[in-house]
Amino acid sequence: MTIENLSCNKSFDGWHKQYSHYSETLNCSMRFAIYLPPQTSSGGKVPALYWLSGLTCTDENFMQKGGAQRIAAELGMAIIAPDTSPRGDEVADDDGYDLGKGAGFYVNASQAPWNRHYRMYDYVLNELPQLIEAMFPVSDKRAIAGHSMGGHGALVIALRNPERYRSVSAFSPISNPVNCPWGKKAFSAYLGKNTDSWASYDASLLMRQTDAKVPALVDQGEADDFLVEQLKPEMLEAAARANDYPLELHGRDGYDHSYYFIASFIEQHLRFHARHLGL
């Protein structure tokens, strides 16, 4: 494995670093950011939180705006933030912000031209943690979280792979993508017109049927402009009730879809994950 360090910034006695590497899964160069807390300086390995960002974002948005480093440094938790899609001149794209580059939706595309590069599900689940655990003082104790499209990705990946994650959390996730405009557009392009194939990437449908239950925390701003049409947290809540799933869902009065919302409650999310990671 070859990785290139792009930047390095000290933060709360730990280090925020940005790297690029060639992804065999995505057939292109990818970028990710990692925060290594001060506890790694002693040579020990720390647990990791993988953060998945939303539409139009990169690895930089959460690391610069989320305000997570102070608490991660206190807890001794690494944070890894991949990009939201493959990139490069050869990668298929769309004129809309909600499909193509910046909008990978954390699925494995099966339809041309997307299937050559858009396999973010496999990248986040397999290739990226293998690289992180081989190259950095990070253990295989993992949690996963995300925002909006990334909240959808985090929930789906944890629900489908409960043996890989100790906990999952999300801010404003796209909870029922098979029934919202963002999801229908992306899934039609990436997965095809047969809607039966969409169900395995829908958190509400997965939560309703799963037997293995990863503890989940979800925060939703009640002043979110996307709440009714796109996010549909009530579908996730109904699925949890139907299956007695350990979901803690909070509606936050007055909060919107922005990073002001995420920064306001990120400490609660990190402490939630810390409990399940044994910190």
Side-chain angles (χ1 to χ4, degrees):
M1 286 179 222
T2 302
I3 62 175
E4 178 186 358
N5 182 228
L6 303 176
S7 67
C8 183
N9 303 93
K10 194 167 187 178
S11 178
F12 296 99
D13 288 326
W15 292 94
H16 170 273
K17 300 183 179 184
Q18 192 179 52
Y19 290 88
S20 68
H21 74 106
Y22 185 82
S23 167
E24 298 289 346
T25 301
L26 304 176
N27 297 307
C28 65
S29 180
M30 285 295 287
R31 197 173 69 189
F32 67 88
I34 183 168
Y35 177 70
L36 295 169
Q39 291 82 352
T40 58
S41 63
S42 62
K45 292 189 175 185
V46 297
L49 174 68
Y50 289 80
W51 175 272
L52 308 184
S53 289
L55 287 167
T56 75
C57 292
T58 68
D59 61 290
E60 295 183 334
N61 298 73
F62 175 71
M63 291 302 211
Q64 294 180 4
K65 299 178 181 179
Q69 288 89 344
R70 178 178 64 85
I71 302 303
E74 174 196 323
L75 296 170
M77 179 189 299
I79 301 176
I80 297 97
D83 202 347
T84 53
S85 78
R87 305 278 180 176
D89 293 341
E90 73 282 10
V91 173
D93 200 9
D94 184 82
D95 291 337
Y97 74 94
D98 51 358
L99 185 68
K101 295 176 187 177
F105 264 85
Y106 305 101
V107 303
N108 286 338
S110 59
Q111 305 298 302
W114 312 101
N115 55 350
R116 183 163 180 260
H117 298 285
Y118 285 78
R119 300 186 62 83
M120 289 297 295
Y121 178 90
D122 278 353
Y123 177 73
V124 171
L125 178 65
N126 295 314
E127 186 178 14
L128 183 61
Q130 288 170 8
L131 183 155
I132 295 296
E133 291 161 22
M135 303 293 289
F136 299 95
V138 173
S139 76
D140 61 0
K141 290 183 178 179
R142 309 178 197 96
I144 191 167
H147 171 230
S148 193
M149 178 186 73
H152 139 78
L155 287 166
V156 165
I157 290 171
L159 286 163
R160 288 177 57 173
N161 303 277
E163 75 286 354
R164 302 288 297 274
Y165 301 96
R166 305 291 182 92
S167 53
V168 58
S169 75
F171 289 87
S172 316
I174 304 171
S175 296
N176 189 208
V178 303
N179 288 315
C180 80
W182 278 340
K184 289 178 180 178
K185 179 178 179 178
F187 287 4
S188 294
Y190 297 146
L191 305 175
K193 301 300 184 183
N194 180 1
T195 57
D196 290 344
S197 65
W198 300 5
S200 60
Y201 293 107
D202 187 295
S204 294
L205 299 180
L206 292 168
M207 189 172 282
R208 188 174 285 272
Q209 359 179 296
T210 185
D211 293 324
K213 297 172 180 177
V214 180
L217 170 65
V218 171
D219 271 297
Q220 174 61 61
E222 294 182 348
D224 192 320
D225 289 341
F226 304 114
L227 176 62
V228 175
E229 185 179 29
Q230 302 283 13
L231 305 180
K232 302 185 182 298
E234 70 279 1
M235 300 303 292
L236 196 67
E237 189 172 33
R241 282 199 307 269
N243 195 18
D244 195 26
Y245 194 94
L247 169 68
E248 185 180 341
L249 191 153
H250 301 285
R252 302 295 188 179
D253 182 51
Y255 285 92
D256 58 19
H257 201 71
S258 71
Y259 271 87
Y260 296 109
F261 171 42
I262 295 171
S264 298
F265 296 100
I266 191 62
E267 178 173 351
Q268 289 92 321
H269 281 239
L270 293 186
R271 294 195 186 281
F272 166 81
H273 291 297
R275 292 195 300 273
H276 294 288
L277 289 167
L279 294 173

